[in-house]
Amino acid sequence: MRRSSFILALSALAATGFLALPAWRGTVGSVPPVARKVVISRRAPRLGAGESGRRIAVFAGWRAQLAAATTPVARHALLGAFAADDPRLALEFARSPAIPEAARYATICDILRVWAVSAPRESWAWVQQNSAALTPDDEMPLEAAFFSAVATQDPSLVLTFADESLSDSRGTHIAFAAVNALLEKGRADLARQKIEDWASDPASAAAVGNGAFQAMALHLARDSDAGAAGWVLALPASPERDAAAVAVAAEWANHDPVAALAWAQTLGEDDGRAVAMGRAFRVWADHGTMPAAEWLLDHEALPQGDRLIAEFVGHSEVVDRSPQTALHWVSLIRDDTLRRKGLAAVLEKWHERDPATASRFLTANGFSSSAGVSSGPH
């Protein structure tokens, strides 16, 4: 199919409702309220290893105080008081049946934040020992809660801990959490300088990983996409720098895809040009199919054109939303091998989701049954 014909085909599909797109949404995080003042019935005694009975008694007292608290603010204040009194014991309490399972991780984080401020070195050692085991799969790691607290009081210490942990098995997670904490606390200056320091040493950059570089680049993009792009390209070449460039291109494409693609085209092949263009085009095409198709028609001579389409079809939701639209996109790929692979991928995914409709399409267009999904028409 000629690309001009494809524009007409997309227009027809849009008229039938095939190209209806979901609303673009974002989420904003929140922080718990700060406790003001709380009165504890009595100071919890320091417990030795053999004082299990007294430990049970302390837990019972703390549990009763929490049960009597009438507001989330009061409960938060009580947990802070427990943590200030004996943080290790408070963390044991947080993991006990006294705290509902669904609330345990949040409780641990609340207690940890108090301890991090009063004894950062001691609490950091505890985090390193326990984070991997205690952090649920769907939650930010304990390092995030720890660094958030420390960054408020001593932001430089956050970077000291991150530097000391680069050789750790969790060094990448720790560096990412450290940079995010500084950005959240308004210390982008420190985060930026540290990223630049890490970038100057290939071994450090590799240990830090993509996440911290991308987080810094995306933070800068809030003020200026072009500014973020310039900062990224000023860093020494590395896979981590290239990953940040891809992130900037994708973010830029959310509100100015033409500019994002124009910038991505200026990247060198070794700087991730193909990946950056593919990601930017995917973002655009996934949320504005007709304009993206028109842009592609105007840039038919681009050597990356086939891969832009393959990237979009292979990684977007277009197959789920409208397999027919995905097939139209695939038909634009000039390279026979890449086009056949794209066609097979679309048909296979469609067949998994809606076997009856996909089978009718396969039959009507000269494909074999299940074998035809991968082999194409005969």
Side-chain angles (χ1 to χ4, degrees):
M1 177 187 293
R2 293 179 59 83
R3 296 193 179 187
S4 57
S5 300
F6 178 55
I7 300 298
L8 296 176
L10 283 180
S11 299
L13 286 169
T16 64
F18 270 124
L19 303 184
L21 301 175
W24 191 250
R25 297 188 295 269
T27 59
V28 178
S30 60
V31 294
V34 177
R36 294 181 179 179
K37 183 178 180 182
V38 64
V39 178
I40 304 297
S41 58
R42 69 183 189 87
R43 182 176 177 82
R46 301 287 175 179
L47 304 179
E51 298 179 291
S52 60
R54 295 177 66 195
R55 176 180 274 100
I56 292 172
V58 170
F59 281 11
W62 284 355
R63 184 173 184 174
Q65 292 179 64
L66 285 177
T70 57
T71 66
V73 172
R75 289 175 61 84
H76 187 77
L78 281 169
L79 291 171
F82 300 161
D85 187 49
D86 190 331
R88 291 186 182 274
L89 187 61
L91 286 165
E92 287 186 38
F93 177 71
R95 289 176 283 170
S96 75
I99 302 297
E101 185 173 356
R104 283 177 194 167
Y105 188 69
T107 303
I108 290 170
C109 290
D110 285 343
I111 293 170
L112 178 61
R113 290 185 184 98
V114 175
W115 192 16
V117 170
S118 63
R121 278 284 176 187
E122 185 181 356
S123 54
W124 176 236
W126 185 92
V127 169
Q128 290 179 294
Q129 293 170 1
N130 293 279
S131 181
L134 294 181
T135 302
D137 292 339
D138 58 346
E139 294 281 0
M140 291 293 290
L142 280 176
E143 288 89 350
F146 173 83
F147 284 140
S148 177
V150 175
T152 302
Q153 180 168 296
D154 189 353
S156 296
L157 188 56
V158 170
L159 296 176
T160 298
F161 288 144
D163 271 330
E164 293 173 354
S165 304
L166 285 186
S167 60
D168 187 274
S169 61
R170 293 177 57 80
T172 298
H173 299 285
I174 291 169
F176 179 65
V179 168
N180 267 332
L182 292 174
L183 295 178
E184 290 171 1
K185 299 302 179 181
R187 295 309 309 265
D189 57 327
L190 290 179
R192 176 174 176 164
Q193 183 59 58
K194 178 51 64 176
I195 290 289
E196 292 169 358
D197 291 344
W198 283 331
S200 66
D201 174 39
S204 295
V208 168
N210 297 345
F213 281 75
Q214 291 173 326
M216 187 69 244
L218 292 176
H219 181 85
L220 294 174
R222 295 179 182 179
D223 294 327
S224 168
D225 295 299
W231 176 79
V232 166
L233 291 185
L235 297 174
S238 70
E240 294 72 32
R241 189 278 306 267
D242 294 348
V246 171
V248 169
E251 175 61 25
W252 202 342
N254 278 316
H255 49 270
D256 192 347
V258 173
L261 283 162
W263 174 72
Q265 285 178 256
T266 68
L267 299 175
E269 193 58 44
D270 293 338
D271 299 328
R273 179 176 60 209
V275 178
M277 289 186 67
R279 191 67 57 81
F281 187 78
R282 183 173 98 199
V283 169
W284 188 14
D286 212 16
H287 298 279
T289 304
M290 286 296 296
E294 291 169 354
W295 182 90
L296 191 62
L297 179 63
D298 292 338
H299 295 79
E300 288 185 288
L302 276 178
Q304 298 87 4
D306 282 353
R307 295 204 172 274
L308 292 182
I309 298 171
E311 169 85 4
F312 166 56
V313 174
H315 296 89
S316 76
E317 298 177 356
V318 66
V319 179
D320 292 329
R321 291 203 307 262
S322 174
Q324 295 92 335
T325 301
L327 290 172
H328 278 301
W329 276 108
V330 170
S331 73
L332 298 182
I333 298 176
R334 291 188 174 91
D335 181 82
D336 287 341
T337 301
L338 196 59
R339 185 174 62 252
R340 286 180 177 276
K341 287 176 63 177
L343 178 65
V346 171
L347 293 176
E348 187 168 358
K349 190 172 183 180
W350 188 9
H351 195 271
E352 289 175 357
R353 186 174 64 87
D354 187 355
T357 305
S359 294
R360 286 195 297 271
F361 177 88
L362 293 174
T363 302
N365 289 274
F367 287 80
S368 61
S369 56
S370 59
V373 173
S374 59
S375 64
H378 35 227

